[in-house]
Amino acid sequence: MTLTTSTTSTTSTTSTTETPDTTPDLLYSEAEDDLRAAVRSLLTDRADVPAALVRAEAGDPYDSGLWTALAGGIGAAGLLIPEKLGGQGASHREAAVVLEELGRYVTPAPFLTGAVVATETLLACDTGSAVVAGLLESLATGGRVAVLAVPLATAPDAPLPTGTGPVGGVAEAARADVLLVLRDDGLYAVGTEAPGVAVDPLTPLDLTRPLATVTVDPGAGERIADAATAGAAVRRGLLAGAGLLASEQLGIAEWCLEETVRHTRERHQFNRPIGSFQALKHRMAQLWLQVVSARAAARNAADALATGSPGAPLAVAVAQAYAGRVAVHAAEECVQLHGGTGMTWEHPAHLYLKRAKSDEIALGTPGHHKQTLSRLTNLPAPR
């Protein structure tokens, strides 16, 4: 919107034009702080990391009661869904806050894959369709979970898998009630219990985010978008997922930094806290700077997605080129500076490292996003 004001006198006319402020808002609003407090309180009470590890080793890391409380009780599953479809009518900024907290607790929950990627994909389809609208309404309450049947490693601008063959590396397909399957002629919604659907678990690095190979018979499911709409919808879902994944990576990095600082304050050698040694101070100070920078990149991506900025692909590429490596570095430092304790299976540090490494290659590697960044800015990499 452009505002034009003019002042006229007998001798001259002055006209000034004000343009909208497009500066990204990197700060948290009061509503976002309240949402964070609610999610953190829930996870503090219900997210038992040792119990999740036991469940993960058994092949099913999910706590259905926790997901019900998070998705339906707090309303997190419907944050991106408009109120007229039963959702909260919030934005990517609020969803980013939830992902920060889920990252802090390495929570096994289909929020990124279901409440972000699949939901955004459906919102880019015809929401006036009874099938799409009904699916979104059920997703908003957490009653059903939808997952986009593409490999977790698929970047927003990468070639998309189509056809009827098996699709490997689909994240949280085992938790899904509905699969969004991309075929040559469009996008299909397929119930996981339908005939001709097979979800075969894989052994992932990150036990808290299971992967599976998905096979769907050609005739299964109902088409919800034609080929042209389907491709754009899937890319919109992947772009939102990649942008908000940076917030999960931020949560991982923040926990690792805070836990490392706490440990080095309490662990003593030579009658003094090991955190007082200059070499360790330097390492943690450097890590703090990286975490602060990752927060800025993640918030910028979330704000660009929330406002529908034309620069959203650029903001997402910047966030993913940086935040993934920060999360991995923070987790590595957490393991190393805990010494022998950090190497044990009982300490949760290894869960954070595995989630960080898994996230680093999810929805595009940092290297891929750097290439995207180079292309978007027309700044080719040195040869």
Side-chain angles (χ1 to χ4, degrees):
M1 178 179 181
T2 301
L3 300 177
T4 304
T5 59
S6 61
T7 303
T8 306
S9 68
T10 56
T11 57
S12 64
T13 300
T14 303
S15 176
T16 61
T17 301
E18 296 181 5
T19 57
D21 183 8
T22 58
T23 304
D25 182 4
L26 306 186
L27 301 179
Y28 298 97
S29 68
E30 183 178 351
E32 290 164 7
D33 287 337
D34 291 342
L35 176 61
R36 181 192 304 282
V39 173
R40 185 172 296 188
S41 177
L42 172 65
L43 296 180
T44 300
D45 291 340
R46 298 288 299 272
D48 186 338
V49 174
L53 179 57
V54 172
R55 290 195 301 270
E57 289 178 300
D60 184 8
Y62 302 109
D63 179 348
S64 58
L66 174 59
W67 174 247
T68 298
L70 177 68
I74 292 180
L79 284 174
L80 298 181
I81 299 175
E83 293 183 34
K84 65 180 181 180
L85 294 173
Q88 305 300 318
S91 75
H92 302 79
R93 292 174 59 92
E94 288 79 12
V97 169
V98 174
L99 278 165
E100 285 182 38
E101 296 306 306
L102 294 177
R104 276 181 169 270
Y105 290 83
V106 284
T107 308
F111 184 83
L112 177 68
T113 52
V116 176
V117 177
T119 295
E120 277 286 295
T121 301
L122 288 169
L123 288 172
C125 299
D126 180 12
T127 56
S129 161
V131 176
V132 175
L135 184 52
L136 284 168
E137 288 172 0
S138 64
L139 297 184
T141 63
R144 286 200 287 177
V145 173
V147 167
L148 181 63
V150 300
L152 179 61
T154 307
D157 57 351
L160 300 176
T162 58
T164 57
V167 180
V170 180
E172 296 175 322
R175 180 62 182 81
D177 303 293
V178 178
L179 297 171
L180 303 181
V181 180
L182 185 63
R183 295 178 181 149
D184 293 330
D185 62 338
L187 186 68
Y188 286 75
V190 185
T192 52
E193 300 298 325
V197 177
V199 178
D200 300 312
L202 300 172
T203 302
L205 171 65
D206 175 16
L207 295 177
T208 64
R209 180 168 281 155
L211 303 177
T213 296
V214 172
T215 307
V216 181
D217 282 353
E222 184 170 1
R223 194 171 80 158
I224 58 175
D226 60 26
T229 303
V234 169
R235 293 199 183 280
R236 170 175 162 177
L238 295 175
L239 182 68
L244 297 190
L245 176 62
S247 293
E248 178 176 289
Q249 292 163 328
L250 171 62
I252 293 169
E254 287 180 332
W255 183 91
C256 290
L257 175 60
E258 292 170 10
E259 173 63 18
T260 303
V261 171
R262 182 202 62 77
H263 175 76
T264 55
R265 282 176 174 171
E266 297 178 358
R267 180 77 170 90
H268 283 65
Q269 284 185 352
F270 307 109
N271 204 33
R272 60 186 290 193
I274 62 174
S276 66
F277 295 124
Q278 193 77 358
L280 298 192
K281 285 183 178 180
H282 287 169
R283 287 173 67 170
M284 286 183 283
Q286 181 62 36
L287 182 56
W288 180 83
L289 290 173
Q290 293 177 357
V291 171
V292 170
S293 299
R295 182 182 300 117
R299 293 301 294 168
N300 182 49
D303 186 72
L305 290 166
T307 58
S309 169
L314 180 63
V316 170
V318 170
Q320 274 306 304
Y322 187 73
R325 289 178 173 169
V326 171
V328 171
H329 181 216
E332 289 173 342
E333 291 288 81
C334 184
V335 170
Q336 292 177 13
L337 294 183
H338 273 75
T341 301
M343 301 294 178
T344 63
W345 191 255
E346 290 74 18
H347 195 280
H350 69 95
L351 291 176
Y352 287 85
L353 179 57
K354 291 169 183 174
R355 174 64 72 89
K357 289 296 290 184
S358 175
D359 281 357
E360 188 182 29
I361 62 173
L363 300 168
T365 64
H368 179 94
H369 287 286
K370 283 186 176 180
Q371 292 177 347
T372 300
L373 186 59
S374 172
R375 174 175 55 79
L376 292 174
T377 57
N378 197 28
L379 291 173
R383 297 181 178 179

